[in-house]
Amino acid sequence: MFSKAVLVAVLSLSVSSAFADHMGPNGDKFYDEAAHFTAACNQTACRAPYSAALVYYQASRMNKLEQNSSEALRTVANYQAQIWSDTILGGDYYAAGRTRMDSVVAFFKKDRLVGFKIRYSEKAWNTSECAFNGKRDSLKGCQEGRISEESYVSPDFQTYFTDEERQAAFSAGFSLTK
């Protein structure tokens, strides 16, 4: 019995550390709306009834978000980036650990806000071809860039999940337009 309890505890920890996504109230409905938005807006212009608007862009310091919305989205970005220790950072990358929200797109169905798509990143280094010894000062010879990822966030900030098409990836000479 004790070994079964230990196994359940270990599995619970593994599952919680492997998935940063969170399904809140009406999460399934939001997941469906995000899929419809993605399908409708996979071209340059969105097809009706969906539309999108850039409401935050770190590079130009553009911010049309209310302060509480901005803070809530940053919290989600920070939380989502924690999964990287079990994924991309388990390989040949080292990250600075300071998550930056790069951009936020609000998406609408007709005139109703349906959700947000956020892009977030951290300064990082590719350690596969350098003499990295686990200490930050040994990163000097490593290729520098950013690890970035995108997630969908519901308007109440209770449901969020990684965009499966834009999961964490390292980019050398990172650009916000990629």
Side-chain angles (χ1 to χ4, degrees):
M1 183 67 173
F2 176 73
S3 62
K4 193 183 265 187
V6 170
L7 178 62
V8 170
V10 169
L11 288 174
S12 296
L13 286 173
S14 297
V15 169
S16 66
S17 67
F19 299 102
D21 300 347
H22 183 264
M23 291 297 239
N26 298 312
D28 291 339
K29 183 178 176 185
F30 174 68
Y31 190 88
D32 291 343
E33 283 289 358
H36 293 305
F37 162 74
T38 300
C41 296
N42 64 3
Q43 306 295 322
T44 25
C46 293
R47 291 186 317 270
Y50 291 94
S51 62
L54 184 66
V55 293
Y56 178 89
Y57 192 63
Q58 191 276 333
S60 65
R61 302 198 187 280
M62 186 262 285
N63 186 359
K64 296 179 181 178
L65 293 167
E66 294 180 6
Q67 184 174 352
N68 61 342
S69 296
S70 181
E71 289 171 5
L73 291 169
R74 284 179 204 282
T75 298
V76 169
N78 285 317
Y79 185 74
Q80 290 291 82
Q82 298 312 302
I83 190 68
W84 296 348
S85 64
D86 287 341
T87 59
I88 193 166
L89 294 177
D92 294 325
Y93 301 99
Y94 177 87
R98 294 185 61 210
T99 306
R100 177 180 81 189
M101 191 165 65
D102 296 319
S103 65
V104 177
V105 172
F107 58 97
F108 303 87
K109 185 175 184 180
K110 297 186 180 176
D111 291 333
R112 181 179 58 87
L113 176 66
V114 177
F116 301 96
K117 187 166 186 182
I118 61 174
R119 182 181 184 100
Y120 43 95
S121 65
E122 289 184 12
K123 183 176 182 179
W125 294 263
N126 180 341
T127 61
S128 65
E129 297 178 10
C130 62
F132 180 61
N133 64 10
K135 297 184 181 180
R136 193 168 174 122
D137 61 344
S138 67
L139 290 169
K140 288 186 173 101
C142 302
Q143 183 180 38
E144 191 175 322
R146 293 192 80 79
I147 294 174
S148 63
E149 186 171 63
E150 295 182 8
S151 287
Y152 292 97
V153 183
S154 64
D156 64 1
F157 313 108
Q158 298 299 308
T159 299
Y160 41 89
F161 52 90
T162 305
D163 179 353
E164 294 174 7
E165 300 296 317
R166 297 195 177 45
Q167 292 181 337
F170 176 82
S171 298
F174 178 82
S175 170
L176 288 175
T177 58
K178 286 185 181 179

